[in-house]
Structure formats: C-alpha cells, structure tokens
Amino acid sequence: MLNLERLRTLDAVARHGSVSGAAAGLHITTSAVSQQLAKLEREVGQQLLAKNGRGVRLTDAGRLLADHAARILSHVELAQSDLEAQRGQVVGELRLSAFPTAARGLFPTALAGLRKEHPGLRVRSCELEPERGIAGVIRGDLDLAVVLDWYNKPMPVPDGLVKAPLLDDPADVAMPAGHPLAGRDEVDLGEFAGDEWITWGDGEFCHEWLMFTLRSRGVEPIVGHRAAETHTQLGLVAAGLGVCIVPLLGRHPVPEGIVIVPLRQRLRRHVYAVWRADADRRPSIRAAVRALKSASDTVG
C-alpha cells in the first residue's frame, strides 16, 4: 500500500523541481523530504530520483509515479471538499495570498470578518504578486489567491482553477501638486511623454502592463524609479520625483503634496479570487470569497 504522505512529498518535488523547494512548500526540512522519498523508493522497489548536477531529477519511474500522485492527491482534495460540504462547517486552516494593494485594501476587513463569523477557521495570509499567487494555488501551497489583470492585458487562468470577480478597480495618475497638469479635470497619457515614471519592479505584471499601455499611446516611457508598494511610489511622487499610476484599491491615505487626476482613457484593473476546482465545494473557500466580496464593496 502506497503511503499518502510520501506520495505528497514526491508530488511536491515534481511541482517545485527540487528537494529544497518541496521542503519549503511542505514546511518540513530537506532531510525529512529525503527520508520520505527513500522510504517510497523502498516501497515501490525502484529508483525515483537521480542526481542532476547539484540537484536532482525524477527518473522515468519517478515521473510516472508523480503523475499518479497528482491525480490521487486531487481526488483526496475532492473527497475532503465533499466531506466539508456535507458537514457544512467553516473550520480548519485556509491559506490565502494577495498582491500588495489587495492585502492592504481588502485583507484587514475580510479576514476580520472571517474571524468574527467563523472562529473555528484558522487563516494564514501573505503578500504575493499575481503570478506567484496563481502558482502557489496550482502547487497546493495556497488554497486561494487574490490576483489581478488589466482591462487591456488579461492574465490567463490555467485549467483546473476557478475564479470569482471581486471588483473593477479604477486607476488614475498621481503627480506632484506643482505639476503643469495638476489643475486639470482629466488628462491623457500622451501628455506625459516628457515625465519620469515611477513604476513597479522590472518583470512584474503591472510594470509590463504600464510599459505596454504607454507605448500603445505613443509614449516611450522614461522610468525613473521602481517600487513594489503603492505608498512607496506615492512618497516618491510627493517628493517631486515623477508621476505614477495609482489604483483606487489601497490608495488611501494619499500623502500631502500630491494631486490625483482621472485619465481620459479610463484604466481599470480586474481583481478576482482564484482557487482549485477540486476544492470548489469547501465551505471555507466559499466563506472567504463572500468575505472578500463584502470587503470589496467598501472600497471607495
């Protein structure tokens, strides 16, 4: 009889691509991962891992068993979801992530509401960029992630995931109070051709979106500064170091010395929650989505 926890360990190595990654995802030591896999190899009588430089790779037998392990664990997840749904109780542990402004703008209200309504539910949360949140849900490290895309740059959701819209988040331009366009009722992106932009980190989804959007408006971006967090960007704007796109979610309080002006071309982010389809019936997932939607209704 194959041991479920050892199959879970093999699945984690296959998903993360390394023993150390599997250990981090499972919250155990690398030694424990190695021990579990050694026991599994003895159980099946075949080598499952082979050395690959400083790391490891799955053998043919390892890949075959890892494919079966993924399906078995999915069925176990589905069975647990069905049992939770039949019991109808919101209990156990729920692991959530959100990109920084959603963690700031939604999590405090949503998680406080969950704790009040469902004291038997233990929630763990962290900040992750959308791509990493989706990857965490796929790997099973997270139960639900709050992610985003933009009206003109959608983010594909992989098969096997379910998503629920939370809000459409409008975005404007933040500029120093002394900027020549600060007194306008609305502005056009093309009017910022000579300005330095304060943007997100290189390679991040929102940074790539901004570069794509500015270039589509005939503006070759001048990037002066990068910061992951909205309020760091706003601090740089307040110091007169450039302009930035500022969504409504997580915007407040706005520092002094900044003027926020709407764009003529309305920009919106779509914010939504994603989770695995095999966990769709879990009462805790449904409770979390309700709490996030309720928190989204208060954004403004």
Side-chain angles (χ1 to χ4, degrees), residues 7 33 38 47 53-55 71 98 105-107 145-146 167 169 178 180 184 194 198 243 260 278-280 295:
L7 289 178
V33 170
Q47 185 179 359
R54 295 184 178 181
R71 289 193 292 271
L106 296 181
F107 270 7
V146 178
L167 76 153
D169 188 24
R184 297 268 294 275
I198 299 162
V243 300
I260 295 178
D278 55 19
D280 191 42

Side-chain angles (χ1 to χ4, degrees), residues 194-275:
D195 284 274
E196 285 194 52
W197 283 92
I198 299 162
T199 180
W200 297 266
D202 192 25
E204 289 187 15
F205 182 75
C206 286
H207 171 78
E208 297 302 325
W209 164 81
L210 180 59
M211 300 299 100
F212 167 81
T213 302
L214 288 172
R215 286 169 180 149
S216 72
R217 298 291 193 272
V219 176
E220 183 55 37
I222 304 169
V223 176
H225 306 278
R226 302 174 187 271
E229 175 55 56
T230 296
H231 276 259
T232 304
Q233 294 184 11
L234 289 175
L236 294 168
V237 173
L241 299 174
V243 300
C244 75
I245 294 292
V246 55
L248 180 61
L249 180 62
R251 175 190 300 180
H252 301 291
V254 176
E256 292 185 6
I258 289 178
V259 174
I260 295 178
V261 181
L263 281 157
R264 188 171 296 117
Q265 316 95 331
R266 300 302 184 202
L267 304 184
R268 287 186 177 272
R269 304 190 299 183
H270 307 304
V271 180
Y272 48 93
V274 297
W275 63 92

